[in-house]
Amino acid sequence: MSKKNLLAAISKEAQLSLTQAGAALDAVINHIQESLVQGTALAVPGFGTFTAKNRSERNGRNPSTGATILIPACTVPVFKPSSELKKKVNESTHNKDTN
């Protein structure tokens, strides 16, 4: 689903104009980003939790040359789905397989 399709769905579901839906989606995304930048977790009940995780420095391998390289430490965004979301996705996937 593209952002355009998502905005159309939000607009229809929430009975908002496309402009209002776009502003709402942008506000949600910006808030998630700001929370991660500040190092705070953001939990959305029934959906999941967004956190920032520190990865330590580690050795890797260049796939084209096979040479060992040092991958520097970094912070990465992580999403952990809620059990409710996992259940819905699992049920949906199983229903498609049986049809």
Side-chain angles (χ1 to χ4, degrees):
M1 175 180 277
S2 67
K3 185 176 180 179
K4 183 178 178 180
N5 294 343
L6 179 59
L7 288 176
I10 291 170
S11 174
K12 183 178 178 183
E13 179 91 15
Q15 298 178 352
L16 299 171
S17 70
L18 282 175
T19 304
Q20 291 170 322
L25 180 59
D26 289 343
V28 169
I29 291 170
N30 288 337
H31 190 71
I32 292 169
Q33 289 174 344
E34 284 301 314
S35 293
L36 295 176
V37 166
Q38 293 172 6
T40 57
L42 180 95
V44 181
F47 186 67
T49 304
F50 297 89
T51 57
K53 179 181 176 184
N54 293 322
R55 281 194 183 161
S56 58
E57 189 176 78
R58 63 196 189 282
N59 289 322
R61 193 165 299 279
N62 182 331
S64 59
T65 64
T68 301
I69 58 172
L70 183 64
I71 301 171
C74 62
T75 303
V76 294
V78 176
F79 175 72
K80 182 179 180 196
S82 70
S83 57
E84 185 178 328
L85 178 60
K86 288 180 191 179
K87 182 180 175 184
K88 283 184 181 183
V89 171
N90 191 31
E91 288 173 357
S92 172
T93 304
H94 280 34
N95 289 339
K96 286 181 184 177
D97 290 343
T98 59
N99 289 336

